[in-house]
Amino acid sequence: MIGSPDVVAFTKDDDFGDSYTDPCLLPAEFSVPLFPHAANANPWTKTSYAKFSKDFILISEFSEQVGPQPLLTIPDDPRVCGTFDLNYFSLRIMSVDYQASFVGHPPGCSYPKLNFVEDSKVVLGDSKEGAFAYVHHLTLYDLEARGFVRPFCMAYISADERKIMQQFQQLSSGFSKASESLKSGNRKAFANELEKKLQDLEYTRTVLHKETELQKMNNGCYSTQVIEKANELANVEKSIYEHKDLLRQIMSYPNKKMDTDYVQYEPEKPVETNMVDHTFSSTHSISRDKCVETDNASQQLSYTPQLIKAKSAKCFDKRLKTLEELCDSNFFHQTMDHLNLIEKTFRGDLCFIYTSQIDWALLSKQKISSFLFEEERHGEEEENSRNLYDTDHNPHIALPSLSNLSGEPMSLESYATCVEIGHHKLELESMEGPPESSTSDITQETSEEAVDTETKGSFSSDRSIEALGNISPANPNGFVRRSTNEVCTVTLSEQQGEILPGAAPDKMSPSLGYKLDVYTADMFETENLVQIDTACCIGQDGFIYEEPLPVPVQQCCEDTVVKQEPLSLLQGDPALQVDYIFGESGLPLGPSMGLMLPEESTSVHSEEMARMNIEDVSDCTSYMSTSTSSDRAGSPFTYGSLITVKQKKKAGNSALRFIRQYPFAQQAIFCVLSGQTLVVLGAEEGTVRKLVNALSIFVPNLGKYGETVQPWLTTSFQLTDLQRWKLIGLQRVASPAGSSMLHSLSRYSRYIGILDCDNKTLRCHPYRGTVLGHMADHRTQIKRGSTYYLHVQSMLTQLAAKAFLYTFCHHVHLPINTDDQGSVELRRTNFLLQLGYTEEESKIIQFLSELIKQNFFQWPLKGLSQSVFSFSYTTSVLYKI
Amino acid sequence: MLRWIMGGRGSQGTIEKSAALCIGEEQPKNCFTELQVLKGHFDIVRFLCVHCSVWVFCVTLFQTGERLVELRGHTQQITAMTTYTFIKGERPHTALITASSDRTLSLWDPDSGNRLQTVSDLHSSVKCLLVLDHLDVWLSGGNELCVWNRDFQLKCKTVHHRDAGITAMVDLPKNCVAASMDKEIMIFKLNLSEAEMSILAIHHLADHQDTIRSLININNELFASGSHIGELILWDTVNWTIQAYEHILWEEPAGDGQSEVRIGQQKQSEMSIQHMYSDGELITAAVGSGLYVYNAVMKSIVAYRKVAHDSDILHTELLDNGRVMSCSEDGSIRIWELQDLPLAAEPASTGFFGMFGTFGRSGKQAGAPTKKLLEVPGLRSLELIGDLIGHSGAVQMFVSFGVKGLVTCSADHLLIVWKDGKRESQLRSLALFQKLEQSGGL
């Protein structure tokens, strides 16, 4: 069992802090140069002695031929890993796979049975290597593998132990998705493989049948050859039966999955395809495959029947399938994409991750105004936050465990039920057991299985020993073997003192047995491995248990110097948990609710937080359980041509150049911000596009795909185009077509600002004020585009915040009595003046406010179509350089 | 910013002549600071029709910018349409009657979009429609005048006019109807006393010298007609006598000419009275590309503007707040305000038109020499206070909803709803807080 608590001790600053020299550890996102003094250069980096330069993801396999071996790393760059010994580390992470993916003969049936086991998630540390890892174990099915299963693991390896610990939930949910995607692909591939095998077998049967008949004819009924053939035939028949059953089992998986209500939100694309695939294959593909493969049949059936029959023989020289072959190629690449995304998400310092997570969480709660200047979030983060959100707002999952924590063994069982029910639902159904009490049922079940397999001693005997071993340490409460998969469950039990220190080695021993069994040839190494296991393999409990309680936010604020990284979302500021967005139910709760109700919600949340602080673990559990159950859905990643922060930062570079180059940049920005369509007119496409790109960071409500910007237009535009696009790059042409374009320019001149990049002139409404002066100072000291972008972003956010305030201050807008239009107008103007805005800046705020209102009305719909086009009758001024 | 005050200073007169006014971008009195484009038509939008704040358009119906119903059925262009309210089952129903060049008439239910009735065997296409609510019948005018009841049954009709069709009709007291037909106005009387309804032409008014372009009701006593060469005649509704006769010539004063085009060479269409509108007292007339405001009670000219648009004005209306709005083939809509002139004498020098006031039926004086307009007391100026630019084709028609906004339709297949941005913004704020309140957010 993973209970060894020694890892935290390895990470004291005083031991290794001095030796910090590796500047490569710095996350790419930090452009600030490190404080040269090595000691506490980055006050939050506690580890510095790792042999790899930055975090990476490692996928390893427990190969039945060569043992643990690394398969690939993400990013796939040897420099990342440096001198870090991947082989050694794979050995270590694979050795903690204590789960039992068990294929055996359950009682009452004589053919193998697939178990859909849960993945296990552990945290593992290696003090010598300075590496800490979140390890996610999973098993994939392979018809040719021992027991049909091949254990794999994905590990997120970082030098920062705290990062792993603090981001455990996020990592877990991310990897669960990746794993789910791999497994879905694997099920599909496995089913295909089974179908092919079945066809082989059926063909073999017919061949054998013919041969038998022939021999009967030749040699008579009772000759030895005939009997042999008859036996073979019987074996093939049995084999066919078994394979059919396997196929049925694997096919039935997704349907069962859909039955569980624990999938909290709709599984997205991959699962859908998965579903489709499966339903399709289950209904049609057999027949279709048959048709297709009649041609290929001769090639495939080049096996001799004996070869097929020898399926259970251990064949060490045969080539094992690669991971990509094991999973459907599409799914594999999807998973890789997802893992890359995980790698990107968790790249950098923990502090940075925290900040961006808080950032995202806050933003997602401010959807009512964040659409103005914030880019759309990636699916990943959105879902992470949604998970957090769910757990925040669905106390019915968290609460049982919380209340049970005062906990007696009784409550543990009920808790286990609560946690496990989602996971076991599948198994319960497949086992046809009465679902009244999952724990007892399954315990009984599994032990029965174990006993059964033990007595039968079939081809998967080693597995069964392992399973038995896992159970034999006699979980005192009849604690389920599976629940050990959930690290947090273990944590809980440890909290309650249920599992004694001795429990961990106890739990380790079966895996020792297992490994010995497998590696009888290499005794020494296995021995070694087990020692490491007990020393370094730790569950999350160890960490959390000894983790100092999170310091409440208030204390942080007292210090003028921030000594601690911001609290993570889970422990964080209760204010973060106040929701500023419309209710989940589709009924808008309204943003002002967020404004009005902080007392109430804080009280709830602070209470919750207090509990969290005390029973940190338990909360963790609840988060875990929800996230794992909801994360069953495969990874939902689709890549569109989204406007990303990266692109915007690049645009920041051109924006910086623009404000340095053009003294009237402020006016142009004002034009864009106040909703007047800005037409960038020029003969050369590149210049125009560059300018449009530079100015696009100022466009409010840019849209997910930047649909309010038209970077290059070669025809004349209409009024409706002005309504749709707020920034247009227009080609200047000296032809009849050009004249019509100029005609439309002059015709709609009151609605547009025209930036002529050939003559370097700007014609638009004049701007007077200071706000944009700060935003676009052509003598700015900012050197880098991304820095400038952030500067602009912060100022735009201020504007958006003011617009939000302006929109939702009802004393400004509501008439005091019925015929009160005049005073409303006056109050609105005064309100903005009091905020310190000039008349022109008020126009910006008003425009933003109108956008917010429209967005509010169109809330359920995604995206904001600007159905109304506002303008003002003001004389334009021509600016020249 | 430049603001051209019509007839204000002599120095500006030349600018006024050379082109239509240009107001520039500074328009503080123009409240239409928001627009909404309604798409849906695939051809020129020519008619707008209003009933109970439901905006009904020729083949498409809109409300608050959403397309409600699309009425399809006519194979050719629609030539006239009107709303028709009738009592059916104690509830008033509003239907839409359309006439088309395909020689059919249709009755539509705007709620469902169904074609309720249709008549297709007409001898000529119908050019105008008139509903007589008090008689519960409606009339269609083409080469003949037909009277229909609500069930689309033809009650009676007039003789067929081979070469001229009825272009406009107005309702007169005593069951009479005035219909313009080329240069004449025919007075028809509906005879309801007998069992069979019958219609008879009882009078001809042949005082116009050219084709009558527009015929409107002013009030209970007066109706007006305007002709192609700028004749504006006010008639008594009961005895059909001429109450006033104006001949608008738009002639330039001889002394003020510098380089302006000779009026004599002007096309007649430039004096054509394309459209008239009356609020019961004032009449606005679209004369060529100019605007003309006449007081029907005082029988005097109120204000005029020779060149109000770059091109012919197609529709004009008096707004509630004493403003005049006009739309033109040049694609713009202009808003004018009637203002007292700083000096009453000055505007007279810039304009020149003939004016004859005769009273009595025989007072027609064809070809009377135009003489210089004398000083008219109380002459006011039409000051341009704003223009609305958005359409890329001729603006055919507009319907004003007062403070709620304005709908314009155009040859560019678009309808544009113009609104007061500040008012709309406040309304949206109110709606926002209402929505918040409903959801318990307040």
Side-chain angles (χ1 to χ4, degrees):
Chain A
M1 181 52 226
I2 38 145
S4 94
D6 63 335
V7 167
V8 178
F10 294 141
T11 63
K12 296 289 180 227
D13 298 29
D14 43 2
D15 287 347
F16 301 100
D18 290 343
S19 65
Y20 177 80
T21 46
D22 189 0
C24 301
L25 261 183
L26 253 192
E29 287 80 0
F30 270 104
S31 54
V32 187
L34 258 193
F35 187 54
H37 189 257
N40 269 324
N42 179 349
W44 303 305
T45 303
K46 289 185 175 144
T47 48
S48 49
Y49 40 86
K51 289 174 180 163
F52 47 92
S53 54
K54 60 179 188 177
D55 298 359
F56 64 97
I57 293 172
L58 170 70
I59 299 184
S60 334
E61 186 205 352
F62 199 117
S63 160
E64 59 190 52
Q65 291 171 357
V66 297
Q69 58 170 356
L71 293 180
L72 54 98
T73 60
I74 295 167
D76 191 15
D77 183 356
R79 278 175 301 169
V80 170
C81 310
T83 56
F84 187 68
D85 189 350
L86 286 180
N87 275 311
Y88 175 68
F89 205 76
S90 327
L91 182 71
R92 182 164 297 178
I93 56 179
M94 286 313 292
S95 61
V96 295
D97 180 17
Y98 52 86
Q99 70 175 358
S101 37
F102 167 68
V103 178
H105 290 224
C109 52
S110 56
Y111 40 87
K113 187 152 173 55
L114 294 177
N115 263 359
F116 299 109
V117 286
E118 287 303 312
D119 302 345
S120 73
K121 302 154 186 178
V122 280
V123 174
L124 176 143
D126 185 332
S127 52
K128 279 177 211 150
E129 298 279 334
F132 295 86
Y134 165 86
V135 187
H136 193 109
H137 293 282
L138 70 151
T139 50
L140 298 179
Y141 301 110
D142 183 355
L143 202 53
E144 287 154 26
R146 181 201 301 267
F148 301 146
V149 288
R150 288 175 59 181
F152 284 89
C153 89
M154 300 180 284
Y156 184 86
I157 301 169
S158 167
D160 186 0
E161 158 235 334
R162 298 199 40 175
K163 186 170 166 182
I164 303 278
M165 295 317 300
Q166 305 295 332
Q167 297 298 311
F168 184 82
Q169 276 94 52
Q170 284 83 351
L171 281 170
S172 155
S173 76
F175 276 98
S176 298
K177 272 178 208 148
S179 152
E180 207 52 57
S181 152
L182 272 185
K183 287 196 281 187
S184 326
N186 173 241
R187 280 193 294 273
K188 194 181 162 200
F190 187 60
N192 282 343
E193 202 187 353
L194 271 173
E195 277 168 17
K196 282 180 188 165
K197 185 74 180 276
L198 265 177
Q199 285 172 24
D200 288 353
L201 284 170
E202 267 159 23
Y203 176 79
T204 313
R205 184 174 60 180
T206 46
V207 169
L208 274 178
H209 202 71
K210 273 183 198 155
E211 281 178 9
T212 319
E213 290 299 314
L214 202 71
Q215 299 232 329
K216 267 185 194 169
M217 294 274 283
N218 293 345
N219 304 340
C221 282
Y222 300 103
S223 70
T224 43
Q225 288 100 327
V226 170
I227 290 169
E228 256 175 39
K229 286 283 176 216
N231 281 340
E232 269 175 36
L233 201 59
N235 275 340
V236 170
E237 296 275 6
K238 182 169 174 263
S239 192
I240 287 174
Y241 193 63
E242 284 175 6
H243 278 83
K244 271 186 181 160
D245 192 67
L246 281 176
L247 188 62
R248 182 189 57 78
Q249 288 176 46
I250 200 85
M251 291 288 202
S252 63
Y253 180 76
N255 302 333
K256 280 191 286 186
K257 185 176 164 174
M258 292 313 285
D259 288 342
T260 58
D261 300 327
Y262 272 69
V263 181
Q264 291 208 341
Y265 50 90
E266 272 306 297
E268 288 167 52
K269 198 190 94 192
V271 166
E272 272 168 34
T273 54
N274 183 19
M275 279 292 293
V276 172
D277 284 343
H278 275 273
T279 45
F280 183 75
S281 59
S282 55
T283 50
H284 302 287
S285 70
I286 297 177
S287 55
R288 184 199 55 175
D289 278 2
K290 268 182 184 164
C291 307
V292 173
E293 287 175 12
T294 37
D295 302 333
N296 304 338
S298 55
Q299 298 160 13
Q300 286 189 357
L301 300 175
S302 56
Y303 307 121
T304 60
Q306 282 78 13
L307 250 179
I308 289 176
K309 202 178 72 180
K311 67 187 182 334
S312 57
K314 293 181 184 61
C315 184
F316 282 93
D317 50 352
K318 77 176 172 224
R319 193 187 74 90
L320 287 173
K321 289 194 187 69
T322 63
L323 189 55
E324 188 171 353
E325 285 168 333
L326 267 184
C327 309
D328 186 85
S329 179
N330 285 338
F331 283 90
F332 176 75
H333 290 296
Q334 204 175 36
T335 314
M336 288 305 120
D337 288 344
H338 185 180
L339 288 177
N340 272 313
L341 192 72
I342 292 178
E343 196 270 326
K344 268 187 200 132
T345 316
F346 292 98
R347 197 184 283 173
D349 191 80
L350 181 61
C351 174
F352 175 79
I353 297 172
Y354 274 177
T355 319
S356 57
Q357 276 173 353
I358 290 173
D359 202 26
W360 283 128
L362 282 173
L363 276 181
S364 66
K365 285 166 185 174
Q366 260 296 358
K367 283 216 175 89
I368 194 151
S369 63
S370 66
F371 72 95
L372 288 173
F373 296 112
E374 306 294 338
E375 58 292 325
E376 283 279 331
R377 319 176 52 186
H378 252 286
E380 161 71 14
E381 283 126 344
E382 194 149 12
E383 272 180 24
N384 272 350
S385 75
R386 194 137 50 135
N387 284 344
L388 297 174
Y389 178 87
D390 283 348
T391 46
D392 280 350
H393 292 266
N394 291 333
H396 59 92
I397 297 172
L399 277 179
S401 55
L402 280 174
S403 56
N404 287 340
L405 269 175
S406 49
E408 306 306 315
M410 267 299 284
S411 65
L412 176 70
E413 190 169 326
S414 63
Y415 165 71
T417 317
C418 158
V419 173
E420 292 301 306
I421 192 154
H423 305 178
H424 285 280
K425 208 159 180 176
L426 316 170
E427 292 175 32
L428 283 175
E429 283 168 10
S430 63
M431 289 161 183
E432 291 130 30
E436 10 129 33
S437 159
S438 59
T439 37
S440 56
D441 263 350
I442 288 164
T443 318
Q444 197 185 10
E445 234 289 324
T446 42
S447 52
E448 265 177 24
E449 273 178 27
V451 169
D452 187 57
T453 43
E454 195 183 30
T455 47
K456 290 214 170 174
S458 72
F459 67 95
S460 59
S461 57
D462 38 11
R463 275 288 172 188
S464 70
I465 289 168
E466 191 228 322
L468 203 93
N470 246 341
I471 293 183
S472 59
N475 296 311
N477 310 321
F479 207 73
V480 204
R481 162 177 53 87
R482 295 268 189 277
S483 46
T484 56
N485 288 348
E486 289 293 349
V487 177
C488 291
T489 319
V490 178
T491 310
L492 179 74
S493 47
E494 188 168 283
Q495 272 277 317
Q496 295 178 319
E498 299 276 316
I499 295 182
L500 304 168
D506 250 352
K507 290 231 165 184
M508 277 304 142
S509 56
S511 65
L512 166 70
Y514 172 51
K515 260 104 209 179
L516 282 174
D517 192 59
V518 177
Y519 293 109
T520 40
D522 202 342
M523 194 59 114
F524 177 69
E525 195 186 321
T526 333
E527 201 63 50
N528 203 6
L529 175 129
V530 172
Q531 277 171 8
I532 294 157
D533 271 354
T534 44
C536 293
C537 156
I538 37 145
Q540 196 192 3
D541 47 339
F543 281 83
I544 281 189
Y545 192 54
E546 305 202 2
E547 192 85 284
L549 295 181
V551 185
V553 202
Q554 290 78 12
Q555 283 183 23
C556 268
C557 303
E558 283 167 16
D559 296 330
T560 44
V561 178
V562 185
K563 289 177 182 162
Q564 202 183 1
E565 68 259 44
L567 289 171
S568 80
L569 270 181
L570 302 183
Q571 310 150 331
D573 191 347
L576 293 190
Q577 288 156 17
V578 182
D579 192 7
Y580 288 91
I581 202 63
F582 327 94
E584 278 285 270
S585 59
L587 245 181
L589 286 173
S592 63
M593 184 176 177
L595 287 173
M596 305 294 273
L597 299 178
E599 305 88 21
E600 200 189 317
S601 44
T602 1
S603 64
V604 170
H605 282 288
S606 59
E607 205 182 317
E608 205 168 359
M609 209 177 85
R611 278 204 213 142
M612 266 164 63
N613 287 345
I614 301 161
E615 311 286 3
D616 205 44
V617 195
S618 60
D619 223 60
C620 219
T621 323
S622 63
Y623 283 73
M624 266 297 274
S625 58
T626 42
S627 64
T628 44
S629 52
S630 58
D631 282 338
R632 286 155 178 284
S635 73
F637 294 104
T638 47
Y639 296 101
S641 55
L642 287 168
I643 301 272
T644 60
V645 183
K646 209 172 175 183
Q647 283 169 312
K648 280 196 161 185
K649 280 182 179 168
K650 272 185 191 160
N653 221 350
S654 3
L656 193 59
R657 223 170 298 145
F658 172 69
I659 63 159
R660 288 219 179 102
Q661 225 169 5
Y662 293 83
F664 48 73
Q666 287 176 27
Q667 272 74 23
I669 292 168
F670 167 69
C671 185
V672 169
L673 278 179
S674 60
Q676 199 187 12
T677 301
L678 183 66
V679 177
V680 180
L681 185 67
E684 196 190 328
E685 184 173 355
T687 326
V688 172
R689 276 185 185 274
K690 211 170 277 175
L691 271 179
V692 168
N693 191 31
L695 283 162
S696 67
I697 62 169
F698 300 100
V699 177
N701 182 32
L702 186 58
K704 201 173 179 179
Y705 304 98
E707 45 286 31
T708 48
V709 171
Q710 171 62 258
W712 184 243
L713 187 70
T714 52
T715 55
S716 63
F717 53 86
Q718 297 292 312
L719 188 69
T720 42
D721 298 331
L722 295 182
Q723 197 171 348
R724 189 162 34 145
W725 297 319
K726 289 296 160 200
L727 184 59
I728 301 176
L730 188 67
Q731 185 185 27
R732 181 201 296 276
V733 277
S735 68
S739 75
S740 87
M741 198 176 292
L742 286 178
H743 174 73
S744 64
L745 270 181
S746 68
R747 179 162 190 86
Y748 300 120
S749 63
R750 64 174 61 173
Y751 305 127
I752 55 176
I754 303 169
L755 177 62
D756 187 333
C757 51
D758 300 331
N759 303 325
K760 306 252 189 285
T761 58
L762 172 72
R763 185 192 161 283
C764 73
H765 295 171
Y767 167 74
R768 283 173 292 268
T770 52
V771 172
L772 295 189
H774 295 307
M775 199 184 290
D777 181 7
H778 69 277
R779 288 181 300 257
T780 179
Q781 297 295 315
I782 297 173
K783 295 277 186 298
R784 290 180 53 165
S786 56
T787 320
Y788 180 67
Y789 164 71
L790 291 176
H791 169 67
V792 166
Q793 195 68 13
S794 78
M795 300 209 59
L796 291 177
T797 309
Q798 269 181 30
L799 282 177
K802 289 283 160 53
F804 179 83
L805 182 67
Y806 172 70
T807 314
F808 289 102
C809 269
H810 51 344
H811 69 271
V812 180
H813 304 284
L814 294 179
I816 294 164
N817 47 49
T818 43
D819 44 327
D820 195 28
Q821 293 300 322
S823 85
V824 169
E825 192 54 49
L826 194 68
R827 268 180 284 150
R828 297 176 125 200
T829 326
N830 284 341
F831 184 81
L832 288 172
L833 286 178
Q834 276 164 16
L835 285 176
Y837 288 123
T838 61
E839 196 187 327
E840 283 80 21
E841 285 156 359
S842 302
K843 269 186 199 162
I844 298 178
I845 301 291
Q846 275 165 349
F847 174 65
L848 297 183
S849 163
E850 291 305 312
L851 286 179
I852 290 174
K853 282 185 226 168
Q854 282 180 46
N855 183 50
F856 181 81
F857 290 126
Q858 298 174 3
W859 165 248
L861 309 169
K862 278 271 179 182
L864 177 59
S865 66
Q866 292 180 333
S867 56
V868 171
F869 178 61
S870 296
F871 45 89
S872 64
Y873 297 106
T874 318
T875 314
S876 293
V877 178
L878 187 71
Y879 297 92
K880 289 175 186 164
I881 281 190
Chain B
M1 189 52 222
L2 292 174
R3 205 189 301 165
W4 308 116
I5 300 168
M6 182 268 163
R9 310 271 135 63
S11 60
Q12 289 172 356
T14 51
I15 303 164
E16 185 221 333
K17 274 170 261 156
S18 59
L21 297 187
C22 172
I23 186 173
E25 290 177 341
E26 186 87 33
Q27 302 175 8
K29 287 185 180 173
N30 189 349
C31 64
F32 296 107
T33 54
E34 195 174 292
L35 63 83
Q36 193 179 356
V37 178
L38 310 180
K39 285 186 192 170
H41 284 294
F42 298 102
D43 204 346
I44 300 172
V45 186
R46 293 187 50 195
F47 298 100
L48 294 170
C49 197
V50 185
H51 188 89
C52 308
S53 84
V54 179
W55 306 333
V56 184
F57 306 125
C58 70
V59 289
T60 315
L61 311 179
F62 289 88
Q63 187 176 33
T64 63
E66 271 175 73
R67 188 199 312 217
L68 295 177
V69 195
E70 185 167 326
L71 310 178
R72 289 187 169 275
H74 285 300
T75 54
Q76 286 182 39
Q77 66 166 339
I78 289 170
T79 51
M81 63 185 234
T82 183
T83 55
Y84 180 37
T85 306
F86 53 92
I87 310 291
K88 191 176 178 184
E90 308 207 346
R91 263 186 58 222
H93 283 257
T94 298
L96 186 69
I97 303 173
T98 57
S100 160
S101 316
D102 60 8
R103 296 185 182 182
T104 57
L105 283 167
S106 296
L107 181 73
W108 306 84
D109 179 9
D111 299 324
S112 64
N114 292 332
R115 174 142 54 167
L116 302 176
Q117 300 274 359
T118 185
V119 180
S120 55
D121 49 351
L122 296 174
H123 295 298
S124 63
S125 68
V126 172
K127 302 226 175 53
C128 59
L129 294 165
L130 177 69
V131 175
L132 301 177
D133 284 320
H134 54 281
L135 300 177
D136 202 14
V137 293
W138 55 277
L139 285 72
S140 67
N143 286 2
E144 59 209 341
L145 182 67
C146 305
V147 183
W148 310 80
N149 72 359
R150 85 160 80 122
D151 298 320
F152 262 60
Q153 286 164 337
L154 182 64
K155 302 306 280 186
C156 54
K157 63 178 185 178
T158 62
V159 289
H160 189 82
H161 301 270
R162 185 173 294 274
D163 46 353
I166 295 170
T167 52
M169 289 186 287
V170 291
D171 185 17
L172 300 180
K174 299 181 185 169
N175 297 340
C176 289
V177 172
S180 64
M181 197 185 293
D182 198 15
K183 296 177 187 175
E184 290 182 352
I185 296 174
M186 310 270 282
I187 306 291
F188 294 97
K189 189 171 174 65
L190 264 169
N191 196 346
L192 299 165
S193 52
E194 297 158 27
E196 283 274 306
M197 198 182 282
S198 64
I199 191 157
L200 260 176
I202 53 171
H203 204 85
H204 284 256
L205 305 174
D207 295 283
H208 277 292
Q209 296 186 355
D210 207 333
T211 313
I212 295 168
R213 293 281 176 201
S214 134
L215 181 69
I216 58 158
N217 256 332
I218 298 169
N219 49 32
N220 285 336
E221 285 94 42
L222 293 169
F223 69 95
S225 61
S227 79
H228 188 69
I229 53 166
E231 298 161 299
L232 169 64
I233 301 179
L234 269 58
W235 309 88
D236 191 292
T237 51
V238 182
N239 55 21
W240 317 302
T241 53
I242 293 180
Q243 296 296 309
Y245 177 90
E246 297 275 345
H247 193 181
I248 305 161
L249 284 173
W250 287 145
E251 212 165 312
E252 291 295 318
D256 198 27
Q258 284 164 351
S259 62
E260 71 271 10
V261 191
R262 291 294 307 161
I263 298 303
Q265 272 73 55
Q266 274 186 321
K267 287 182 291 174
Q268 287 208 318
S269 70
E270 294 194 4
M271 290 169 287
S272 161
I273 298 179
Q274 281 108 338
H275 185 255
M276 287 194 290
Y277 179 87
S278 171
D279 65 350
E281 184 185 351
L282 295 179
I283 305 170
T284 60
V287 186
S289 57
L291 261 183
Y292 185 89
V293 183
Y294 187 81
N295 190 320
V297 179
M298 307 295 293
K299 313 275 189 297
S300 65
I301 173 135
V302 176
Y304 66 93
R305 180 102 221 178
K306 194 195 133 221
V307 185
H309 278 271
D310 290 331
S311 186
D312 280 359
I313 297 176
L314 297 177
H315 192 89
T316 172
E317 244 177 63
L318 273 165
L319 305 184
D320 300 335
N321 47 13
R323 292 180 179 175
V324 180
M325 203 179 271
S326 58
C327 67
S328 150
E329 280 178 356
D330 64 9
S332 67
I333 299 106
R334 291 191 166 170
I335 308 163
W336 311 84
E337 195 168 60
L338 283 171
Q339 289 189 342
D340 292 324
L341 287 173
L343 293 169
E346 284 197 21
S349 63
T350 60
F352 203 80
F353 52 90
M355 175 179 168
F356 270 79
T358 46
F359 304 94
R361 279 194 62 194
S362 57
K364 179 199 145 194
Q365 302 195 1
T370 59
K371 60 181 178 182
K372 210 166 188 177
L373 179 72
L374 299 173
E375 294 306 308
V376 182
L379 187 66
R380 304 166 83 190
S381 73
L382 275 174
E383 191 200 345
L384 181 61
I385 58 163
D387 60 347
L388 307 177
I389 292 175
H391 284 295
S392 52
V395 183
Q396 298 281 345
M397 194 177 167
F398 62 85
V399 176
S400 170
F401 292 88
V403 287
K404 280 189 199 157
L406 173 81
V407 183
T408 57
C409 67
S410 157
D412 61 2
H413 312 173
L414 292 182
L415 294 158
I416 297 183
V417 186
W418 305 82
K419 291 171 181 172
D420 181 351
K422 282 183 179 163
R423 185 177 174 276
E424 290 301 313
S425 167
Q426 286 177 12
L427 288 177
R428 276 193 292 269
S429 282
L430 286 180
L432 177 98
F433 289 115
Q434 240 163 32
K435 193 175 170 189
L436 281 177
E437 203 171 3
Q438 276 169 10
S439 55
L442 270 182

